[in-house]
């Protein structure tokens, strides 16, 4: 009887050791996952802050050719702007914004706010950020407006490109 009691106690101790080992392994894996996720988030925030600031600088040149590197050129993509509302390809967007806004401007400055939010799932990311637009027309009139910006980005090779964007004024409710 003593031998079997000792053997049962040893088996229970062995099971507890394995349980503790498995629990520690799971806990370690979770810590690694959480750490990697936090590191990815920090990297994404820095990457998209740089992208958004470069995007704003490109539009601030007053030439629609400068920001073209940020856009996918696929047919069927839709880009929403404050006017005339929507464009159904990069070419349509390029030509429309050049004619509607940029040709009549002597100066334009687009700046992104500090409240950039980035969400990413694999090769798709979406960004939201408030923006401010300053425009001085060739006749000397100035216009300033606050904008809401949402961009849907797709990673293609080493680059992120816009596959959809929505730019609107808060008053427009869009």
């Amino acid at each position: 009887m003593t031998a079997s009691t000792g053997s049962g106690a040893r088996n229970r101790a062995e099971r507890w050791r394995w349980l503790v080992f498995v629990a520690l392994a799971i806990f370690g894996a979770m810590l690694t996952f959480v750490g990697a996720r936090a590191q990815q988030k920090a990297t994404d925030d820095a990457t998209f802050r740089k992208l958004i600031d470069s995007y704003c600088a490109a539009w601030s040149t007053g030439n629609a050719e400068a920001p073209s590197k940020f856009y996918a050129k696929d047919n069927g993509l839709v880009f929403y702007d404050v006017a005339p509302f929507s464009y159904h390809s990069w070419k349509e967007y390029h030509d429309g914004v050049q004619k509607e806004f940029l040709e009549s401007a002597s100066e334009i400055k687009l700046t992104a706010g500090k409240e950039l939010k980035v969400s990413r799932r694999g090769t798709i990311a979406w960004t939201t950020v408030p923006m401010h637009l300053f425009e001085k027309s060739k006749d000397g009139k100035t216009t300033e407006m606050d904008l809401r910006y949402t961009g849907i980005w797709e990673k293609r090779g080493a680059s992120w490109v816009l596959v959809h964007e929505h730019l609107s004024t808060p008053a427009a409710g869009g």
Side-chain angles (χ1 to χ4, degrees), residues 73-87:
K73 310 301 187 288
D74 309 15
N75 289 329
L77 298 178
V78 179
F79 304 102
Y80 294 99
D81 207 316
V82 291
F85 181 64
S86 68
Y87 299 92

Side-chain angles (χ1 to χ4, degrees), residues 23-86:
L24 286 173
I26 290 171
F27 181 71
M30 287 175 48
L31 280 179
T32 300
F33 176 77
V34 168
R37 186 81 172 136
Q39 185 176 7
Q40 179 69 50
K41 176 78 172 126
T43 300
D44 286 347
D45 288 351
T47 296
F48 283 97
R49 172 48 67 185
K50 185 177 176 185
L51 265 174
I52 291 293
D53 289 344
S54 296
Y55 166 94
C56 288
W59 277 113
S60 295
T61 65
N63 180 340
E65 200 55 41
S68 70
K69 65 184 177 185
F70 296 101
Y71 290 86
K73 310 301 187 288
D74 309 15
N75 289 329
L77 298 178
V78 179
F79 304 102
Y80 294 99
D81 207 316
V82 291
F85 181 64
S86 68

Side-chain angles (χ1 to χ4, degrees), residues 89-116:
S89 68
W90 163 248
K91 179 169 177 13
E92 188 178 298
Y93 193 24
H94 171 281
D95 297 348
V97 171
Q98 185 69 43
K99 181 179 180 223
E100 192 76 28
F101 293 103
L102 303 178
E103 285 179 4
S104 62
S106 65
E107 181 183 350
I108 191 161
K109 181 152 177 79
L110 183 64
T111 52
K114 296 187 186 318
E115 302 82 27
L116 173 65

Side-chain angles (χ1 to χ4, degrees), residues 7 28 42 53-54 61 76 79 93 96 98 101 106 109 118 129 133 136 141 153-155 160 164-165 173-174:
S7 175
D53 289 344
S54 296
T61 65
F79 304 102
Y93 193 24
Q98 185 69 43
F101 293 103
S106 65
K109 181 152 177 79
V118 179
V129 65
L133 176 67
K136 184 175 183 180
K141 294 178 185 174
W153 303 78
E154 182 178 347
K155 184 140 185 162
W160 287 95
H164 176 78
E165 84 178 353

